[in-house]
Amino acid sequence: MSWDGRKEAMGLLARADMTVLDRLCQQAGLPRETRVVRPPETGLVTLRGRIGGGGSPFNVGEVTVTRASVELDGFVGHAYALGRDRKKALQSAICDALCQDETRRETIERQILDPLRTAEREADTRRAEETAATKVDFFTMVRGED
C-alpha cells in the first residue's frame, strides 16, 4: 500500500537531522513497540554520477547506508538512511508504516513531516543567503585610448 506523498516523505526523513527527527518522534508519541521485519542493517551502496550532469555515468564511490523494515498494525514500513544511524532508520520506517494507515497519516504529516519541511526550507534559505553574501561582481573598466 502506498500514498502519493511517500517518495517526498521518505526523502524528508532520510535527509532529516537525527536530533530533530528524534525530538519530533518523541513529541508525536510514536509507538516504540513494533514487529521488526528487517532489523537495522548497515552496508555499502555504490554512487553513480555524470560529469556536467549529462555525460556518461560512472561509479563515484561507495557510501554507508542503514536500512530497516517494521510492521505496525498490518502496515509495513521501510527506510534507508545515510550512515550508520540504526535509530534513525527504525524511526523512519515507523513513520513510513504509520503514513500508510490513512487514519494516522494526517498526524504524521502535521507533527513530523511539516516541521521537517519547514526546517529544510529554512536551511536552504540560510545557505542561499550565506552564498549570496560571498558573491563577487567582476567588471571591466574601459580605459581611454592613448
Side-chain angles (χ1 to χ4, degrees):
M1 180 178 264
S2 95
W3 76 97
D4 290 339
R6 188 173 188 186
K7 180 179 177 181
E8 187 241 352
M10 298 301 354
L12 277 171
L13 292 166
R15 292 186 304 271
D17 179 73
M18 182 52 207
T19 56
V20 173
L21 180 61
D22 191 38
R23 180 179 45 81
L24 292 171
C25 288
Q26 285 180 7
Q27 289 172 351
L30 289 189
R32 299 270 184 212
E33 295 300 315
T34 62
R35 186 175 77 79
V36 177
V37 177
R38 177 186 296 140
E41 300 172 313
T42 301
L44 295 173
V45 174
T46 301
L47 292 180
R48 308 264 301 157
R50 295 175 184 267
I51 295 177
S56 297
F58 64 96
N59 293 340
V60 175
E62 294 178 330
V63 294
T64 305
V65 176
T66 302
R67 69 179 180 179
S69 298
V70 299
E71 187 269 328
L72 186 64
D73 299 332
F75 297 98
V76 179
H78 307 280
Y80 285 81
L82 281 176
R84 298 176 177 271
D85 198 331
R86 295 168 168 262
K87 186 175 181 182
K88 181 178 179 180
L90 275 174
Q91 285 182 332
S92 297
I94 291 170
C95 288
D96 183 43
L98 291 172
C99 281
Q100 292 178 58
D101 182 355
E102 291 180 16
T103 61
R104 295 175 170 170
R105 185 177 309 148
E106 178 60 34
T107 302
I108 299 301
E109 279 280 341
R110 189 177 10 53
Q111 293 183 348
I112 296 175
L113 299 178
D114 285 345
L116 289 177
R117 281 186 196 98
T118 301
E120 195 170 77
R121 269 194 308 272
E122 289 172 355
D124 288 346
T125 301
R126 187 172 46 255
R127 201 171 309 119
E129 289 171 353
E130 290 170 357
T131 302
T134 64
K135 182 180 177 183
V136 177
D137 288 324
F138 291 97
F139 63 93
T140 303
M141 293 184 68
V142 178
R143 295 192 306 179
E145 292 188 37
D146 293 328

